[in-house]
């Protein structure tokens, strides 16, 4: 899962914006720092969509001058779990019953700030009829969603 980020220099810093995530903003002293900080900023914005039970915006193609910023595999799996739940009409309480988990445990599976074990998210996805597919590719290549 990647989003195209545009950087603009302002007052000696690099300000990052994302067309697909209007609430997104990030900044860094260098291009590299701005892009690194953008990973956390994307996660924060996606978490807000999840918290508000809103659909996750689809990433559009990168335009000239934009940079791809990819989320870590665990975050992608958690967003995928959220999307699978939305597609299947499964609530957190339903998932908890399926997995034999208490509400706080289910909340952590959907919390992008919590470092769950990937295997736990994979297990939850399997109960919904989904699987995780991990790939390794060169930096800068967009993987189809």
């Amino acid at each position: 899962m990647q989003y195209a980020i545009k950087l603009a220099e302002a007052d000696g810093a690099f300000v990052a914006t994302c067309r697909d995530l209007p609430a997104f903003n990030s900044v860094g002293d260098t291009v590299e720092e701005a892009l690194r900080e953008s990973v956390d900023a994307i996660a924060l914005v996606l978490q807000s969509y999840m918290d508000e039970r809103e659909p996750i915006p689809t990433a559009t193609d990168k335009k000239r001058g934009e940079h791809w910023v990819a989320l870590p595999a665990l975050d992608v799996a958690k967003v995928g779990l959220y999307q699978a739940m939305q597609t299947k009409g499964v609530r957190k309480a339903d998932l908890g019953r399926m997995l034999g988990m208490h509400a706080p445990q289910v909340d952590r599976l959907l919390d992008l700030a919590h470092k769950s074990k990937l295997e736990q998210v994979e297990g939850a996805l399997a109960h919904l009829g989904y699987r995780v597919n991990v790939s390794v590719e060169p930096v800068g290549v967009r993987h189809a969603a």
Side-chain angles (χ1 to χ4, degrees):
M1 175 174 272
Q2 304 179 96
Y3 285 92
I5 303 300
K6 181 179 181 180
L7 297 177
E9 194 169 359
D11 297 325
F14 291 88
V15 177
T17 58
C18 178
R19 290 177 284 107
D20 301 318
L21 303 171
F24 168 90
N25 62 41
S26 188
V27 67
D29 291 331
T30 65
V31 168
E32 294 77 17
E33 182 181 3
L35 293 174
R36 273 193 316 272
E37 294 295 326
S38 292
V39 175
D40 290 337
I42 290 171
L44 284 172
V45 171
L46 295 182
Q47 186 69 60
S48 71
Y49 281 100
M50 293 165 63
D51 292 345
E52 298 297 321
R53 295 184 175 96
E54 296 291 330
I56 301 294
T58 302
T60 57
D61 289 334
K62 181 176 80 159
K63 294 184 179 181
R64 181 179 296 193
E66 293 180 328
H67 304 264
W68 283 126
V69 173
L71 289 174
L74 179 59
D75 288 0
V76 174
K78 288 182 174 207
V79 170
L81 175 59
Y82 169 77
Q83 291 174 313
M85 290 172 66
Q86 293 283 3
T87 298
K88 298 266 186 167
V90 173
R91 298 171 305 156
K92 288 181 184 181
D94 301 328
L95 186 63
R97 280 190 291 280
M98 287 176 174
L99 301 173
M101 290 183 167
H102 297 289
Q105 294 169 299
V106 174
D107 287 340
R108 287 191 292 266
L109 287 179
L110 295 166
D111 182 351
L112 299 180
H114 185 268
K115 298 299 177 199
S116 306
K117 291 184 180 180
L118 183 57
E119 295 82 11
Q120 292 174 314
V121 182
E122 284 180 303
L125 280 161
H127 273 84
L128 297 176
Y130 290 79
R131 66 181 174 89
V132 173
N133 182 18
V134 177
S135 67
V136 176
E137 55 197 27
V139 173
V141 175
R142 175 151 190 214
H143 183 68

